[in-house]
Amino acid sequence: MPLILILGDQLTPSLSALRGADPARDRIVMAEVAVETDYVPHHPKKIALIFAAMRKFADRLRDAGWTVLYTPLDDPDNAGSIPAELLRRAAQTGDSHVRATRPGEWRLIAALEALPLHVDLHEDDRFIATQAEFEAWADGRRELRMEFFYRQMRRKTGLLMDGDKPAGGQWNYDPDNRKPAKPDLFMPRPPTFAPDATVTGVLNLVEARFPRNFGRLRPFHYATDADQAEQVLAHFLTEALPRFGDYQDAMLSGERTLYHAVISGYMNIGLLDPLDVCRRAEGEWQAGRAPLNAVEGFIRQILGWREYVRGIYFHEGPDYPARNALGHRRDLPPLYWGAETRMNCLSHAVRQTAEDAYAHHIQRLMITGNFALLAGIDPAQVHEWYLSVYFDAYEWVEAPNTVGMSQFADGGLIASKPYVSSGAYIDRMSDYCGTCAYKVRDKTGPDACPFNLLYWHFLHRHEDRFRANRRMAPIYRNLDRMGAARRDRVMSEAEAFLARMDAGKTV
Ligand code: FAD
Ligand code: DLZ
Ligand code: SF4
């Protein structure tokens, strides 16, 4: 009789580990454990979301006739880790077989494989591509670009396909999707959910156990079961999807979610099915309720990026999160953990992250990620920050996005050029600069926007690597045009800024 392990991000009734199992015979093991809560200092909202969703899923399994051996975090017998809980349950029940769906993190896979029990790991087929499919696609390719993997996934699923051609004649409508947003009275807001008894119990536990973790626990109104997650999705499809494309890269101080779906946290723990989400979005286009540029852009994030980064994580192996191709060594400054900063864009992104455990993609990539890359922060510390603070952060998806896409620490495996920008891009795409203590138009001087100084500092210090990059040639031509005296001034002001930051001064 096997024990069936279900992890906190595997809350799906059709999970491969459950398939073929017998509720009358087999027992399910679920556990809230310190090793998982403490391997990075997760945001309290993230821990609360996982625990509440685990408890509700366990109830649902019990209603369906399963025996669930569930260990809450404050159970005096809690053995503290997933392997230790499995050993404890094995000793209790006399079972020495474990069936599990492959975890989304090398660390936990290794821990399960090291158990002195017979462990069967089943493929996590909640993803649209199998790892074998990704490996076959990657095999022999010089470059592993998302765009080509995405086209293969379009062909495989038939999503937005017109026979063997992309619907509308183009694979990618991104050139249409770069508009800044204006505040709008009718901006959609994702549905919120008042805590029920289960959620309240979890909130009290998390409050007592994680008082020092970065981030605000309350108010908490995320969805914590599949029905609620479905309401969030349904609301997004009707209210926000039609404008998702147009404003995908926009940032506004007063609007934290804009036209984004805020569903990653639910998809990543199994409350929503990615293929179903894509088909539902396609249906909106087919019904004439959402334009193709929006629907294609949205589907690409899930069918393309989400599947691709998972493929990369498992293709590259356990050392991937530790890569540091640019040799960046600076410590993550305290402003990432909420210390004061005069940079309005960073202040907004970090405050929102502390309050919501959510920031949308462009805030993650072009504000917090951009600054860390420009400032030369150790990518391992950046990785730990992102893995800790977002409600959707699991290593298989977070590490490729942070280490690869955002910090270029994989040497350009995911990104063909680094995602860096000066203040001008942030000014164009947001309303942050108008009320900032720094002046976005100042390139040097006491009020110069730090993104302006650090942008050139980054390009200058990594000239050997990037000057030959065809896509960066125009940028290096601008650096050349700057002239030696001006360039030296920018570099010394950038150095002075970094020295102040390293000394713990407010920057
Ligand atoms: P929307 O903008 O509405 O997009 C819809 C869905 O597409 C998302 O729910 C998500 O599932 C998927 N998606 C979009 N972009 C990506 C991407 N680059 N990679 C994978 N899936 C994507 N996403 C996570 O799920 N977990 C993470 O830990 C995570 N860490 C990130 C770290 C950095 C540095 C960056 C730049 C991006 C990260 N992302 C991560 C990707 C992306 O920012 C989030 O998926 C997105 O912001 C989630 O919000 P949403 O549901 O409103 O997304
Ligand atoms: C992230 C997380 C946390 C905070 N806590 C638990 C837990 O107590 N029990 C559990 O089964 N899973 C938890 N998780 C999710 C795991 O860390 C996740 O399964 C791995 O990181 C693999 O993606
Ligand atoms: Fe950010 Fe610079 Fe704009 Fe200030 S001026 S908000 S630091 S980009």
Side-chain angles (χ1 to χ4, degrees):
M1 285 194 300
L3 292 170
I4 299 171
L5 173 67
I6 299 188
L7 294 165
D9 55 353
Q10 298 182 337
L11 310 179
T12 313
S14 61
L15 194 72
S16 57
L18 283 169
R19 223 165 289 149
D22 180 357
R25 183 195 61 191
D26 304 328
R27 282 172 278 222
I28 293 174
V29 174
M30 296 179 73
E32 301 168 1
V33 289
V35 165
E36 296 309 311
T37 58
D38 298 350
Y39 68 90
V40 292
H42 302 282
H43 193 298
K45 275 197 167 80
K46 177 182 177 188
I47 302 176
L49 167 62
I50 294 167
F51 284 7
M54 284 174 73
R55 290 180 184 196
K56 290 189 178 187
F57 188 69
D59 287 343
R60 184 172 164 180
L61 290 169
R62 287 191 191 101
D63 289 347
W66 292 95
T67 302
V68 184
L69 307 175
Y70 191 100
T71 313
L73 191 68
D74 53 1
D75 184 329
D77 294 329
N78 192 315
S81 73
I82 296 293
E85 272 293 296
L86 284 169
L87 286 172
R88 183 170 79 88
R89 294 302 192 183
Q92 233 172 37
T93 58
D95 299 326
S96 59
H97 262 67
V98 175
R99 283 163 66 110
T101 292
R102 192 155 89 128
E105 198 176 334
W106 287 110
R107 171 187 62 85
L108 207 45
I109 294 173
L112 292 184
E113 285 176 345
L115 272 171
L117 298 170
H118 181 93
V119 180
D120 280 333
L121 288 185
H122 295 253
E123 168 127 24
D124 190 346
D125 54 13
R126 297 172 301 165
F127 290 87
I128 303 167
T130 63
Q131 192 58 28
E133 269 171 329
F134 186 89
E135 298 299 342
W137 172 79
D139 191 31
R141 275 175 196 263
R142 206 169 51 82
E143 290 189 327
L144 302 182
R145 294 286 169 243
M146 188 286 295
E147 182 65 29
F148 297 104
F149 178 69
Y150 166 57
R151 291 180 192 180
Q152 176 160 320
M153 297 302 287
R154 292 266 296 272
R155 290 195 184 95
K156 171 182 162 164
T157 56
L159 278 160
L160 300 182
M161 294 298 291
D162 187 359
D164 59 354
K165 301 264 178 332
Q170 273 171 244
W171 289 104
N172 181 318
Y173 289 86
D174 246 4
D176 300 348
N177 292 351
R178 294 277 183 267
K179 298 191 181 70
K182 289 200 186 63
D184 180 339
L185 242 48
F186 302 104
M187 199 75 83
R189 298 262 154 72
T192 55
F193 304 91
D196 56 21
T198 305
V199 177
T200 303
V202 165
L203 293 179
N204 293 338
L205 172 73
V206 172
E207 189 162 53
R209 290 291 286 261
F210 306 98
R212 274 180 289 284
N213 287 26
F214 167 81
R216 260 177 49 190
L217 176 63
R218 297 175 204 265
F220 180 95
H221 29 58
Y222 280 125
T224 47
D225 60 41
D227 290 343
Q228 292 178 345
E230 165 57 30
Q231 290 177 48
V232 178
L233 173 64
H235 181 270
F236 165 74
L237 292 172
T238 54
E239 304 302 322
L241 175 64
R243 299 169 91 180
F244 174 87
D246 289 351
Y247 301 118
Q248 204 178 332
D249 288 2
M251 295 171 281
L252 282 179
S253 332
E255 294 296 336
R256 295 182 170 191
T257 56
L258 288 149
Y259 297 92
H260 293 275
V262 198
I263 55 168
S264 46
Y266 312 135
M267 243 186 316
N268 295 352
I269 61 175
L271 302 184
L272 291 172
D273 174 60
L275 185 56
D276 176 57
V277 173
C278 292
R279 293 216 187 285
R280 301 265 297 277
E282 181 189 43
E284 294 302 300
W285 168 65
Q286 285 164 337
R289 291 190 290 262
L292 188 52
N293 72 306
V295 173
E296 186 283 314
F298 179 73
I299 287 179
R300 177 162 20 93
Q301 306 311 312
I302 297 173
L303 184 66
W305 280 112
R306 188 172 186 273
E307 295 289 324
Y308 164 83
V309 295
R310 180 169 184 273
I312 291 280
Y313 177 76
F314 283 115
H315 177 70
E316 288 298 304
D319 81 304
Y320 184 84
R323 293 191 193 167
N324 189 356
L326 300 181
H328 283 171
R329 306 262 175 255
R330 177 163 276 112
D331 282 339
L332 190 74
L335 71 89
Y336 278 79
W337 300 109
E340 192 187 343
T341 172
R342 299 170 67 224
M343 291 178 276
N344 197 33
C345 51
L346 269 165
S347 167
H348 263 284
V350 173
R351 192 177 333 125
Q352 165 173 347
T353 299
E355 287 174 10
D356 299 349
Y358 174 86
H360 63 71
H361 186 67
I362 290 301
Q363 293 174 302
R364 298 188 205 194
L365 188 63
M366 298 313 292
I367 306 291
T368 43
N370 186 13
F371 184 80
L373 180 56
L374 294 178
I377 313 251
D378 172 7
Q381 294 184 38
V382 184
H383 160 57
E384 180 174 321
W385 185 77
Y386 279 98
L387 189 55
S388 306
V389 301
Y390 288 114
F391 85 139
D392 52 21
Y394 299 88
E395 197 173 270
W396 63 267
V397 54
E398 177 279 330
N401 270 297
T402 304
V403 174
M405 186 193 299
S406 166
Q407 298 303 297
F408 208 82
D410 65 4
L413 183 74
I414 291 184
S416 57
K417 71 179 188 52
Y419 281 97
V420 284
S421 81
S422 66
Y425 170 86
I426 297 171
D427 191 30
R428 191 164 63 248
M429 297 312 297
S430 79
D431 63 356
Y432 296 140
C433 299
T435 50
C436 183
Y438 293 105
K439 295 204 173 73
V440 72
R441 289 202 171 69
D442 287 9
K443 310 286 186 257
T444 52
D447 295 331
C449 164
F451 284 82
N452 293 343
L453 296 171
L454 296 178
Y455 178 67
W456 295 116
H457 190 267
F458 173 89
L459 291 164
H460 184 56
R461 72 178 189 265
H462 292 300
E463 188 164 359
D464 287 351
R465 179 182 283 268
F466 295 125
R467 188 178 273 278
N469 183 321
R470 201 172 36 83
R471 295 186 61 202
M472 296 182 73
I475 303 173
Y476 277 98
R477 278 199 290 278
N478 286 340
L479 182 60
D480 295 339
R481 272 197 286 270
M482 205 181 258
R486 186 160 174 72
R487 195 187 56 219
D488 290 350
R489 180 165 175 206
V490 171
M491 296 312 145
S492 75
E493 288 191 17
E495 295 283 347
F497 173 87
L498 291 171
R500 281 201 305 281
M501 187 172 83
D502 291 344
K505 304 254 165 56
T506 298
V507 288

